[in-house]
Amino acid sequence: MKTNKHKISLPADDAFLDNQLIQWWYWTGQLTTNNGKRYGIELCFFAVDAAALHIFELFAHKIYGEKIPSDLTTVQMLNAAVTDIDADKFYSKVTYIPGRPKNIENGFALHDILNNCSAIGGNGNDTLVITVDDFKFELQAEQIKQPVLHYSGEKHEYQFGGYTYYYSREMMAAVGTLSHKGVKQTVSGDLWFDRQYGELVQASMLVGWQWFAIQLEGNVQIMLFAYHWQSEHMGSITNAAGETIALGASDFHIEILDWWTSPNSGRRYPAKWHINTGDYDLVVTPLVADQELDEDWLLIKYWEGACKVEGNHQGSAYVELVGYPRKHWL
């Protein structure tokens, strides 16, 4: 069994942690070009230990009817996506990288084999390259608020099994360029960075979740993690001064207002939400219906995409939906 630290320490925990079964570095956000075109982007690097891969294998066929090779050791996976909001199009890619990430003190140097996608940085100052289809984003992202340490930065034991450490940089100012079909434009916008690590097989394979990263006018951020296990709902609200209030399961309500069925995978996903936290009464709507990552070699298909936020406050959001199989049980 892997040994575990007792509390998040930054920037040290931006680095690859070789004592954790599963970990990821995750950037999402919405960008605008100099001529007003709008895009959503996702860049995520996973590192999965061999022990976790064997646990995945035990569940894969039973739950998803799919198999993964039984001889894998530690492996990395890249998930990247671009949402062309104005064209109502979504593009994604999944790549596996053998072996572990480099050990970089207080940071990370993550990339696919051809360096088409990469993330280099740490401590809230990141250089990102995202190449998907004909799109290439080259971005500098810098945190403009201190990180939010969820669960007070401590190890959280899930009631359904496993555990997590989890923190976010909820407002990172991003600037850079977009190259598309021979044309280069400047882009800017706000990104959200999530870092999570622990024993996350049960959460990913058996339970699943709805995750909301909401950025509102007035420099307010709301994070909601609604597992398909009511007692594990949690979240936070961070005000303009950087003060964060933790939310428990009884502090917010999520109502699904609409559903969408993927023509590719046959999975049925929520497609519009009413969210209430008391002070914030919001409606979250996808900007493009089909933002599903469904590549054949991706074991866990999921929906993740750019959304708009309306209600008593306006803003933008990224939403991730995990745990929606072909035979929908929720």
Side-chain angles (χ1 to χ4, degrees):
M1 178 61 66
K2 301 286 183 179
T3 58
N4 306 307
K5 302 183 297 80
H6 66 280
K7 195 159 187 175
I8 292 171
S9 175
L10 295 177
D13 286 0
D14 285 338
F16 169 66
L17 303 174
D18 61 8
N19 65 341
Q20 300 298 324
L21 286 175
I22 299 176
Q23 55 195 295
W24 55 71
W25 301 256
Y26 220 115
W27 294 263
T28 56
Q30 297 185 34
L31 304 171
T32 305
T33 67
N34 55 288
N35 66 354
K37 287 206 67 176
R38 300 174 299 156
Y39 295 92
I41 61 98
E42 171 193 346
L43 179 65
C44 182
F45 285 91
F46 299 82
V48 184
D49 187 86
L53 283 168
H54 292 311
I55 300 172
F56 270 123
E57 186 185 14
L58 292 175
F59 293 125
H61 182 70
K62 181 178 180 181
I63 297 177
Y64 292 95
E66 298 163 4
K67 294 183 178 180
I68 61 175
S70 59
D71 57 349
L72 289 176
T73 57
T74 300
V75 67
Q76 299 172 65
M77 180 176 67
L78 159 73
N79 290 2
V82 173
T83 302
D84 187 337
I85 296 170
D86 299 315
D88 195 37
K89 297 289 187 181
F90 178 73
Y91 308 87
S92 64
K93 67 186 290 185
V94 174
T95 302
Y96 291 91
I97 306 123
R100 298 149 41 121
K102 293 180 181 178
N103 287 303
I104 306 291
E105 185 176 2
N106 297 330
F108 44 81
L110 307 163
H111 57 84
D112 60 7
I113 294 174
L114 298 177
N115 276 313
N116 289 323
C117 292
S118 61
I120 300 171
N123 202 25
N125 192 348
D126 306 335
T127 300
L128 309 176
V129 177
I130 306 164
T131 306
V132 179
D133 202 74
D134 292 326
F135 299 90
K136 183 176 183 179
F137 290 86
E138 298 177 273
L139 304 171
Q140 282 294 134
E142 183 175 358
Q143 72 175 24
I144 55 177
K145 279 187 171 181
Q146 290 301 304
V148 176
L149 307 185
H150 307 296
Y151 304 114
S152 301
E154 298 178 346
K155 178 182 179 181
H156 175 73
E157 301 274 1
Y158 290 123
Q159 294 184 27
F160 48 73
Y163 68 88
T164 188
Y165 293 88
Y166 178 32
Y167 64 92
S168 305
R169 294 186 173 98
E170 299 180 339
M171 182 62 74
M172 300 189 75
V175 295
T177 60
L178 163 62
S179 299
H180 180 54
K181 296 183 177 179
V183 178
K184 181 177 282 191
Q185 301 179 73
T186 59
V187 293
S188 61
D190 296 322
L191 300 186
W192 181 298
F193 171 75
D194 253 27
R195 174 88 166 105
Q196 195 164 3
Y197 53 88
E199 186 180 320
L200 297 163
V201 177
Q202 298 93 325
S204 302
M205 292 291 293
L206 295 180
V207 180
W209 57 76
Q210 298 182 89
W211 172 79
F212 299 81
I214 299 171
Q215 297 170 320
L216 296 176
E217 61 188 1
N219 196 14
V220 172
Q221 295 79 41
I222 300 175
M223 187 282 294
L224 302 176
F225 222 140
Y227 288 92
H228 305 321
W229 190 289
Q230 179 66 38
S231 58
E232 283 290 357
H233 289 195
M234 57 82 69
S236 64
I237 300 175
T238 303
N239 65 19
E243 301 163 334
T244 300
I245 298 173
L247 301 177
S250 63
D251 296 323
F252 63 93
H253 177 73
I254 300 172
E255 178 187 3
I256 297 171
L257 300 178
D258 202 0
W259 292 82
W260 172 81
T261 299
S262 169
N264 302 308
S265 70
R267 288 169 168 81
R268 183 170 177 258
Y269 298 96
K272 189 175 183 178
W273 303 265
H274 174 223
I275 293 174
N276 187 280
T277 70
D279 291 336
Y280 297 92
D281 192 63
L282 310 172
V283 174
V284 178
T285 308
L287 290 166
V288 173
D290 187 353
Q291 298 183 80
E292 181 191 36
L293 283 87
D294 69 334
E295 279 78 359
D296 290 340
W297 48 88
L298 181 61
L299 176 61
I300 302 175
K301 275 63 171 176
Y302 65 99
W303 190 101
E304 178 144 18
C307 299
K308 64 180 178 181
V309 181
E310 300 169 300
N312 66 354
H313 293 76
Q314 310 296 308
S316 63
Y318 246 78
V319 177
E320 182 180 68
L321 307 172
V322 175
Y324 293 87
R326 292 184 181 91
K327 292 183 178 179
H328 191 71
W329 65 69
L330 298 174

